[in-house]
Amino acid sequence: MKDTILCVGEVLWDSMPAGLFLGGAPHNVAAHLHRLGQPVTLVSRVGDDVLGREALRRLKATGLGTDFVQVDPVLPTGFVKVEVDADGIPDYEIVQPVAWDELALDEVLRDGAAGARAVVFGSLAQRQEASRRTVQALCTSGAFAVFDVNLRPPFVSPEIVRASLHAADCVKLNEDELHAMSRWFGLPSVPRGAMAALAEAFGCRLVCVTRGERGAALWHEGSWLEHEGYPVAVRDTVGAGDAFLAALLAGVLEGCSDEVALDLACHLGAFVATKSGATPDYEVDTLAEIAALTD
């Protein structure tokens, strides 16, 4: 799949008060990249069950394709119970073991992934050894490696995060995750200093920290940039960070300036926070049109 973006990891169903939504951070990022006109391929695993078959049906309907979505003959499709508080902040109960814990690096995936432009991967999908081996093999293949930190207790491992940071060219995380890394790795307590130190320690070219309604900060090869964000009436924040990352990555890969890429990311993240679920419907013909979505 030459020049495609691989989004690797969990596909699952989010059980929310508003209903069942197909989710998982890699799926969400892939769905938004696809809408933004980027060539993207999802790499995951579902069960041979009703939820797995429905997941495959919906993926095909949205145009994401299922060539690299494996079907596990034993383990069930991923499922997460999501509770959302009055401020729209989610709390997750992640079922295990499930199909995406056994993502396999078979010949079909190995050959198909050759020549990928970028690989997006996270920490949650590495909670079990089988999927961890596959994720780490793909993110060290030579493509632009994007580490989407996703710390979900009890599936939090500083060692997995450390290995992932060493493999990453780009890191996206939130403020709480940056604080955790500062404790684990002895980074400065000030965000700007922590981001610069993280980039230097692990050889990352770009580090982006999301701040919820207060926007985001970006460290890119020595340059520092902040965005104040776009205040919106929040429905829930599920998937807002995934939308943010998709727009940021699309902007970077399209050669946009840091200012434009970060603004697009903040716009799309804010828009998704006004909707239920991680991948609400919208139509975008060009990246520049994202700005109109939150106006």
Side-chain angles (χ1 to χ4, degrees):
M1 304 291 288
K2 185 174 176 58
D3 295 330
T4 194
I5 303 167
L6 298 183
C7 291
V8 184
E10 65 273 16
V11 165
L12 49 83
W13 289 92
D14 288 321
S15 176
M16 301 177 61
L20 284 178
F21 296 87
L22 192 59
H27 162 267
N28 300 339
V29 174
H32 287 293
L33 283 169
H34 177 68
R35 285 190 177 144
L36 296 174
Q38 297 296 310
V40 60
T41 300
L42 181 63
V43 180
S44 191
R45 191 175 180 99
V46 298
D48 185 14
D49 51 25
V50 172
L51 290 179
R53 287 187 285 275
E54 179 60 18
L56 292 172
R57 188 189 71 81
R58 294 199 187 187
L59 290 171
K60 291 176 181 177
T62 59
L64 276 177
T66 59
D67 289 349
F68 293 151
V69 180
Q70 303 165 2
V71 178
D72 193 289
V74 177
L75 292 172
T77 301
F79 193 83
V80 176
K81 300 173 185 176
V82 185
E83 297 292 337
V84 180
D85 67 18
D87 296 321
I89 306 301
D91 180 65
Y92 302 93
E93 181 183 342
I94 305 173
V95 175
Q96 68 166 332
V98 292
W100 54 261
D101 286 318
E102 295 294 326
L103 181 61
L105 186 63
D106 56 23
E107 289 303 313
V108 173
L109 177 56
R110 191 189 303 273
D111 293 344
R117 186 180 188 187
V119 176
V120 181
F121 68 102
S123 49
L124 179 59
Q126 299 183 65
R127 66 180 183 177
Q128 298 294 334
E129 183 178 355
S131 286
R132 182 162 63 250
R133 288 197 304 266
T134 299
V135 170
Q136 291 180 357
L138 292 175
C139 73
T140 56
S141 63
F144 185 69
V146 181
F147 179 31
D148 181 16
V149 182
N150 195 9
L151 301 184
R152 294 282 183 262
F155 311 111
V156 176
S157 167
E159 291 311 309
I160 289 175
V161 170
R162 184 191 298 274
S164 298
L165 288 169
H166 277 299
D169 298 297
C170 170
V171 181
K172 193 275 290 181
L173 66 166
N174 63 33
E175 287 182 298
D176 290 339
E177 291 161 344
L178 181 62
H179 292 325
M181 291 188 191
S182 295
R183 295 193 306 271
W184 296 342
F185 308 132
L187 305 177
S189 58
V190 178
R192 181 170 180 171
M195 293 167 67
L198 186 149
E200 181 177 359
F202 295 101
C204 305
R205 292 161 50 188
L206 187 152
V207 178
C208 188
V209 173
T210 57
R211 298 170 168 174
E213 64 181 10
R214 295 183 292 105
L218 180 69
W219 189 98
H220 188 187
E221 296 182 331
S223 297
W224 172 260
L225 180 65
E226 293 181 279
H227 194 292
E228 63 183 8
Y230 293 98
V232 293
V234 174
R235 176 73 62 83
D236 70 61
T237 61
V238 175
D242 303 330
F244 176 99
L245 176 58
L248 179 70
L249 180 56
V252 169
L253 293 178
E254 288 293 325
C256 297
S257 68
D258 288 346
E259 290 81 1
V260 169
L262 190 59
D263 184 62
L264 295 173
C266 287
H267 266 297
L268 189 55
F271 169 76
V272 170
T274 68
K275 307 295 182 180
S276 292
T279 56
D281 290 334
Y282 61 90
E283 297 292 336
V284 178
D285 293 327
T286 66
L287 288 175
E289 292 179 22
I290 300 174
L293 294 174
T294 55
D295 291 344

